[in-house]
Amino acid sequence: MNALNIKKGSSSHSAYELRDPNGDLIESHTLAVLVANESGVLARVIGLFSGRGYNIESLTVAEVDHEGHRSRITVVTRGGPAVIAQIKAQLERMVVVHEVHDLTAEGPAVQRELALFKVRGKGETRVEAMQLAEIFRAKVVDSTLESFVFELTGTPEKIDAFADLMRPLGLAEIARTGVAALSRGV
Amino acid sequence: MATMTGAKMVVQALKEHGVEVVFGYPGGAVLPIYDEIFQQNDIRHILVRHEQGAIHMAEGYARSTGKVGVALVTSGPGATNAVTGLTDALLDSIPILVISGQVPTFMIGTDGFQEADTVGITRPCTKMNWLVKDTANLAATIHEAFHVAFSGRPGPVLIDIPKDVQFANATYVPKAEARPSHYAPRVRGDADQITRLVEMIEQAERPVFYTGGGVVNSGPRASALLRELVAETDFPITSTLMGLGSYPASGKNWLGMLGMHGLYEANLAMHGCDLMINVGARFDDRITGRIKDFSPGSKKVHIDIDPSSINKVIHVDVGIVGDITLVLEEVLKQWRARGSKTAKPALKTWWAQVNAWRAVKCLTYKGSTKTIKPQHALERLEALTKGHDRYITTEVGQHQMWAAQFLGFEDPNRWMTSGGLGTMGYGLPASIGVQIAHPDALVINVAGEASWLMNMQEMGTAMQFRAPVKQFILNNERLGMVRQWQELLHGERYSHSWSESLPDFVKLAEAFGCKGIRIDDPADLDEAILEMIRYPGPVIFDCRVEKHENCFPMIPSGKPHNEMLLGDADTQGVIGSKGAVLV
């Protein structure tokens, strides 16, 4: 009755059939999740992502309505259409969640992220960093004779592009806030 | 409004919600609540022997009554022992409330004695949980907890109450005066989607109802409506493990359970249907087998109260989010208003096919006059307990599948089993919970000896509270299901799947002060079962069965429904290498 000849020490055993992750349909979605501002709520929402194996690319959270005890979680996640639909449904059924909006699916949305860049350098590279910062409309919020701290607001892509340019010019540290997003229009 | 301590509030709120029984175990961090329990007579407290037992008892109580089951545990180990039961209740959507004690608020985070981050640990295994830091919020939190546990898709909730919050005084807020909860899941199905379902019912040529635990959770009315719909459409119906009893096993349209160890006719009807109507089931992997070959030619309709269940595993053509009772009411209303017509000639052909599958008699097994076959033991148990007011619980494994195959359930809430989590050790405490709720009923835990040992300490609870539960142990001295898989999938290398040094169950029964019965001769079976039924107290029934019996039919992992194994069929080469990686 030896139905199978599994090699000893075979390591390709996973517990369950893995779902087709929809191949090349995977895309980023920005979700706005309005939650009750209670202790443990963020842990519950994040636990859903880690527990069910969903990605988090960016996460921001802050109280947006003090009177109504509401916080807004903006989470950028990746997945195929079925996974994104499932993430939304899983969020919506949580007791602490009041509303979920898929800003990517629901129409055009504005996305902004704030980042701080510390760039160290002297002489020409310092001048070049300053010029590029002007092109990107980054603000200088701190400076010494050997460093700048630039403040830049924009889409994540713009922040990435600026970081790429600063890297050879002495980029030492970056702090990013993660994405905040709102739908466009009324 | 009355001012009282937090501890008194707990008891007061439980009374307000009609709680009659609490299953629990005291400890330092819940002493104030236990002091209040001592000083009243409305709520009965059942002292368990281990907190896991308390949670399963609350589950058995909840599942057999349709009410919220309540358990009370202390901080630290009391709460961590509750985790398995909470997860079990989460996966099977059982409404229970667990109240745990916690170290005082000013000690939280100091690694105090018996401190654990209970809300942190139980967050992924509860529908919702709360740490109450202010006595003023306690009553409202308990009201919210009952609401959340019971509304929408039911589930376990936990309230963690620090000891100082139990001692402090505040005003009790009655339910009627508490702020209404914002949690209000959608219960009424979309009428247009329901119309689409009714149209599909009218056109279907090879339909099948596939029902699940959601029908039981929706209440007895859901089962009644389901029966009406099945009678009026004359469609065949199958059910998951969790849904047994919603449609009577004696009903003429009943195909038996489906799934990995489901009946041939049920699985082939699922595979070959052109319309699948899922009522409160969730396309679990034990049901679907290989996803891409799951019921390839059918339109699928899914009725579920949880929107996240729809399209989670199987893409469906029509999804209806709502409470089963309300949705079925609307389905019947529309169906009747349109003149109640089905494609009768096609249905006749379909039934002929279904009956041909039935004729295979997939549950056939080789009888024996020398050893007791487990299937035979269950057939006799079924025959001899049929007329009784009977409730069945099970442990997890082969015996559980045989019980689902060979016992017939005529009504919902009569069958308590750990379906989603598959918790060995569930059945004995669950049977006590059921018996406490139904003191005069015949409550039988169909068990395997290995599962049963996992929570056997609860026999003490059964004795102390005079719960005459019958422990029907099919003893094969093996971890039968593990052994079966090792035989079929792991080259008959029986790694640690036999029970050595088993206790003498009859002596064990005597040690607990109850009755023990042991049999190994099929000729003694009937008399022994009758003796078990007649005995007015708890019984440990050691039924020595065939040691190497396999549970069939079986859909090997990674195979579709139409490639199931039957009886003693040759299994050589049936399971592909991909199937071995599935559990």
Side-chain angles (χ1 to χ4, degrees):
Chain A
M1 288 269 268
N2 184 358
L4 253 192
N5 293 308
I6 296 172
K7 281 186 192 133
K8 270 193 180 167
S10 169
S11 61
S12 62
H13 287 200
S14 79
Y16 291 93
E17 195 165 24
L18 296 170
R19 256 182 284 165
D20 176 16
N22 288 306
D24 41 74
L25 286 170
I26 288 182
E27 53 178 28
S28 280
H29 278 245
T30 305
L31 307 178
V33 188
L34 288 164
V35 298
N37 185 18
E38 293 164 11
S39 71
V41 170
L42 183 61
R44 211 166 243 285
V45 171
I46 292 180
L48 168 73
F49 280 80
S50 62
R52 293 187 184 263
Y54 306 138
N55 288 312
I56 295 181
E57 291 199 326
S58 155
L59 178 87
T60 61
V61 53
E63 187 177 68
V64 290
D65 176 0
H66 184 70
E67 297 286 297
H69 300 286
R70 295 289 178 88
S71 290
R72 185 178 176 108
I73 299 174
T74 308
V75 53
V76 182
T77 184
R78 278 176 81 75
V83 171
I84 298 291
Q86 183 60 206
I87 292 173
K88 189 164 178 275
Q90 291 286 354
L91 285 167
E92 276 170 341
R93 76 173 182 142
M94 295 181 95
V95 176
V96 292
V97 171
H98 290 258
E99 284 174 51
V100 183
H101 296 285
D102 182 344
L103 296 175
T104 309
E106 286 174 17
V110 195
Q111 295 203 35
R112 289 295 180 270
E113 185 176 1
L114 184 144
L116 298 172
F117 300 80
K118 182 173 284 178
V119 180
R120 291 191 189 122
K122 288 186 195 171
E124 258 179 51
T125 54
R126 190 170 142 83
V127 176
E128 201 176 342
M130 189 65 201
Q131 284 169 344
L132 286 166
E134 275 170 27
I135 294 169
F136 273 78
R137 293 188 202 143
K139 270 199 291 185
V140 178
V141 289
D142 178 68
S143 83
T144 67
L145 292 173
E146 293 179 3
S147 72
F148 286 120
V149 173
F150 296 117
E151 175 197 311
L152 179 62
T153 307
T155 62
E157 293 75 25
K158 182 177 172 182
I159 310 262
D160 288 343
F162 188 68
D164 287 344
L165 287 171
M166 287 300 115
R167 210 156 278 128
L169 301 176
L171 179 62
E173 264 187 277
I174 310 180
R176 299 174 71 148
T177 57
V179 173
L182 281 179
S183 62
R184 289 183 185 270
V186 216
Chain B
M1 287 203 276
T3 298
M4 60 182 79
T5 66
K8 196 171 173 68
M9 266 184 200
V10 170
V11 173
Q12 181 71 26
L14 294 181
K15 281 183 197 171
E16 201 186 335
H17 287 273
V19 174
E20 291 165 355
V21 185
V22 171
F23 303 93
Y25 202 97
V30 278
L31 282 175
I33 298 174
Y34 270 87
D35 204 25
E36 288 300 330
I37 286 177
F38 187 83
Q39 298 176 57
Q40 56 84 49
N41 288 315
D42 297 324
I43 296 173
R44 191 174 174 211
H45 179 271
I46 305 294
L47 176 69
V48 301
R49 300 303 187 260
H50 184 289
E51 288 86 352
Q52 186 188 352
I55 312 302
H56 294 324
M57 285 180 209
E59 285 186 273
Y61 183 92
R63 190 71 172 166
S64 67
T65 59
K67 297 183 199 165
V68 177
V70 181
L72 176 59
V73 300
T74 193
S75 63
T80 57
N81 280 345
V83 166
T84 301
L86 286 167
T87 312
D88 191 271
L90 185 72
L91 278 186
D92 284 345
S93 307
I94 310 295
I96 57 168
L97 165 63
V98 176
I99 293 171
S100 56
Q102 181 57 279
V103 300
T105 48
F106 53 84
M107 277 181 70
I108 289 177
T110 65
D111 298 325
F113 177 64
Q114 293 196 327
E115 180 183 355
D117 176 9
T118 300
V119 285
I121 291 168
T122 60
R123 200 171 280 128
C125 60
T126 52
K127 186 175 172 186
M128 186 62 196
N129 62 6
W130 299 265
L131 169 64
V132 180
K133 287 183 170 170
D134 183 347
T135 310
N137 298 331
L138 181 54
T141 305
I142 298 174
H143 302 320
E144 171 80 356
F146 274 98
H147 172 71
V148 169
F150 204 69
S151 309
R153 181 175 179 171
V157 296
L158 177 140
I159 305 177
D160 199 28
I161 313 176
K163 197 170 181 181
D164 56 333
V165 173
Q166 298 172 35
F167 274 127
N169 281 291
T171 305
Y172 181 81
V173 181
K175 192 171 123 194
E177 289 162 35
R179 195 161 53 98
S181 171
H182 90 274
Y183 180 68
R186 182 172 169 179
V187 291
R188 207 163 277 284
D190 182 273
D192 292 341
Q193 298 300 312
I194 291 174
T195 305
R196 283 183 68 193
L197 166 59
V198 172
E199 286 167 0
M200 289 160 106
I201 289 175
E202 288 170 344
Q203 289 153 16
E205 299 188 346
R206 302 186 311 278
V208 66
F209 281 107
Y210 150 46
T211 62
V215 184
V216 181
N217 275 335
S218 183
R221 174 120 177 91
S223 292
L225 292 164
L226 177 70
R227 291 165 191 217
E228 284 179 38
L229 187 60
V230 171
E232 293 186 27
T233 56
D234 198 29
F235 288 179
I237 175 169
T238 177
S239 165
T240 66
L241 181 73
M242 293 305 295
L244 296 177
S246 335
Y247 184 82
S250 61
K252 77 175 175 68
N253 296 43
W254 178 238
L255 301 183
M257 181 179 78
L258 81 160
M260 183 174 271
H261 293 286
L263 272 69
Y264 186 70
E265 49 268 43
N267 284 328
L268 287 205
M270 288 286 281
H271 190 79
C273 66
D274 72 343
L275 174 64
M276 177 187 297
I277 307 167
N278 174 339
V279 189
R282 60 181 177 88
F283 295 110
D284 179 86
D285 58 83
R286 304 290 99 162
I287 298 305
T288 59
R290 187 161 68 208
I291 300 274
K292 75 178 171 62
D293 295 313
F294 176 68
S295 192
S298 63
K299 294 264 185 220
K300 299 174 185 74
V301 179
H302 190 176
I303 306 170
D304 202 300
I305 199 157
D306 179 359
S308 76
S309 275
I310 291 167
N311 291 329
K312 181 172 70 178
V313 179
I314 297 290
H315 177 78
V316 295
D317 301 278
V318 177
I320 300 172
V321 176
D323 183 86
I324 307 283
T325 304
L326 297 174
V327 171
L328 289 184
E329 261 172 9
E330 179 67 19
V331 170
L332 278 163
K333 197 175 116 197
Q334 289 198 20
W335 156 256
R336 286 166 183 162
R338 290 165 64 106
S340 316
K341 283 188 203 69
T342 52
K344 286 216 168 60
L347 273 182
K348 206 175 159 193
T349 314
W350 177 234
W351 268 113
Q353 172 65 70
V354 169
N355 286 329
W357 288 327
R358 275 175 167 170
V360 168
K361 298 201 181 300
C362 66
L363 294 183
T364 308
Y365 60 92
K366 275 190 201 132
S368 167
T369 50
K370 292 200 188 83
T371 60
I372 301 175
K373 290 286 187 143
Q375 301 96 323
H376 178 62
L378 287 165
E379 278 180 328
R380 294 318 301 155
L381 183 72
E382 168 75 359
L384 296 169
T385 60
K386 194 83 190 160
H388 288 76
D389 178 17
R390 186 188 75 178
Y391 292 82
I392 301 284
T393 68
T394 76
E395 304 287 346
V396 169
Q398 283 183 322
H399 68 273
Q400 177 190 30
M401 294 297 109
W402 280 317
Q405 292 171 344
F406 287 90
L407 303 182
F409 299 94
E410 296 298 307
D411 293 299
N413 306 100
R414 296 277 172 167
W415 163 248
M416 274 50 61
T417 193
S418 173
L421 192 63
T423 310
M424 293 171 72
Y426 166 90
L428 164 51
S431 71
I432 297 171
V434 174
Q435 189 83 73
I436 295 295
H438 310 276
D440 299 323
L442 174 62
V443 182
I444 303 169
N445 174 32
V446 176
E449 83 290 345
S451 282
W452 191 83
L453 288 175
M454 283 202 179
N455 271 322
M456 68 161 189
Q457 76 285 347
E458 299 306 330
M459 282 312 289
T461 308
M463 287 304 297
Q464 182 178 346
F465 296 93
R466 295 189 171 79
V469 289
K470 314 302 181 198
Q471 304 302 315
F472 193 74
I473 302 173
L474 297 173
N475 182 355
N476 59 1
E477 300 175 9
R478 300 288 184 279
L479 280 66
M481 193 60 94
V482 171
R483 195 209 63 80
Q484 176 169 345
W485 280 60
Q486 288 173 336
E487 179 184 325
L488 299 178
L489 291 159
H490 293 270
E492 298 175 73
R493 290 180 291 279
Y494 298 119
S495 184
H496 301 273
S497 57
W498 69 94
S499 312
E500 224 161 73
S501 307
L502 282 171
D504 178 326
F505 285 98
V506 173
K507 282 189 182 159
L508 190 63
E510 284 164 11
F512 277 112
C514 63
K515 185 176 183 63
I517 299 174
R518 174 185 304 119
I519 54 157
D520 52 14
D521 186 341
D524 301 335
L525 192 55
D526 277 24
E527 188 40 49
I529 290 174
L530 290 170
E531 189 186 354
M532 173 184 87
I533 298 169
R534 278 195 301 263
Y535 186 73
V539 177
I540 301 176
F541 191 105
D542 180 12
C543 186
R544 299 293 182 92
V545 297
E546 167 66 47
K547 297 186 198 313
H548 298 116
E549 190 72 12
N550 280 337
C551 181
F552 291 113
M554 175 180 183
I555 302 176
S557 284
K559 291 282 184 186
H561 282 170
N562 58 341
E563 292 178 34
M564 70 191 312
L565 308 180
L566 286 170
D568 292 318
D570 180 16
T571 50
Q572 188 68 37
V574 184
I575 301 164
S577 58
K578 273 188 182 166
V581 303
L582 308 177
V583 178

